[in-house]
Amino acid sequence: MPRRYDPERRQRIIDAAIRVVGEKGIAGLSHRTVAAEAGVPLGSTTYHFATLDELMVAALRQANEGFAKAVAARAAFQDPTLDLADELAGLLGEWLGGGRGETGVPPAEGWGSVGAELEYELYLAALRRPALRPVAAEWCQDLAAALAERTDPVTARALVALMDGICLQALLTGGEYDAAYAREMLARLIP
């Protein structure tokens, strides 16, 4: 039987992996669950991604790309007349509020439907899966590079760490995101 040409299959598998992690967590991710979610044969998932780590790297990279697009679209990174702390607090609010807990695949124009919880689950999986660490580090480095255009590199790294901490606290405690608090703390770091 001839092999069916399906150029979108790899992307469907990545999208399915994101949905599986969103619904079942990292523990529920397997080639079998992803194949079932994507509606493809099991062999297709192992053909495109020999290991689960390779599949998680692709999923985390896709989540990072969505966030990077949202960051790049913010005028604060190009316009020095805008209040950077206010813009960053707004970005965090959009991210934490946009699709929190949803399990859809990110739309082309943004990352809201992925949900911050899902992205952080993939991001924190790097603690136990060394293959994910370079992708998690890319997220921090890319955001710091964008922020360094408005601040200095050291302040940019501190802002990334603070933003990370604010997001983790909101996600782990289940509390509401406090934009005023985030803005005030971010402003304290910006020279």
Side-chain angles (χ1 to χ4, degrees), residues 168-182:
L168 276 172
Q169 283 183 358
L171 292 170
L172 294 175
T173 64
E176 290 295 316
Y177 170 67
D178 185 344
Y181 167 79

Side-chain angles (χ1 to χ4, degrees), residues 83-165:
D83 182 333
L84 183 59
D86 193 50
E87 289 291 315
L88 291 174
L91 178 67
L92 292 180
E94 289 171 16
W95 187 46
L96 289 167
R100 184 173 172 179
E102 293 178 18
T103 59
V105 174
E109 70 276 0
W111 36 258
S113 69
V114 172
E117 291 172 3
L118 170 62
E119 286 194 42
Y120 264 97
E121 183 153 6
L122 287 166
Y123 178 66
L124 292 174
L127 290 171
R128 300 265 186 229
R129 295 180 176 270
L132 294 175
R133 289 180 186 159
V135 182
E138 285 172 18
W139 180 87
C140 295
Q141 291 162 355
D142 291 348
L143 183 54
L147 289 169
E149 293 179 22
R150 287 283 311 273
T151 66
D152 59 90
V154 173
T155 301
R157 286 181 53 209
L159 288 168
V160 170
L162 177 59
M163 292 168 63
D164 226 0

Side-chain angles (χ1 to χ4, degrees), residues 31-45:
H31 282 285
R32 191 170 306 282
T33 58
V34 171
E37 179 69 27
V40 301
L42 178 59
S44 289
T45 62

Side-chain angles (χ1 to χ4, degrees), residues 12-38 42 45 49 51-60 118 121-122 125 129 132:
R12 284 200 327 271
I13 292 168
I14 295 169
D15 294 345
I18 289 172
R19 288 191 302 272
V20 168
V21 171
E23 293 167 8
K24 301 176 183 178
I26 294 288
L29 186 70
S30 70
H31 282 285
R32 191 170 306 282
T33 58
V34 171
E37 179 69 27
L42 178 59
T45 62
F49 304 98
T51 67
L52 284 179
D53 282 351
E54 286 179 19
L55 182 54
M56 284 196 291
V57 163
L60 181 55
L118 170 62
E121 183 153 6
L122 287 166
R129 295 180 176 270
L132 294 175

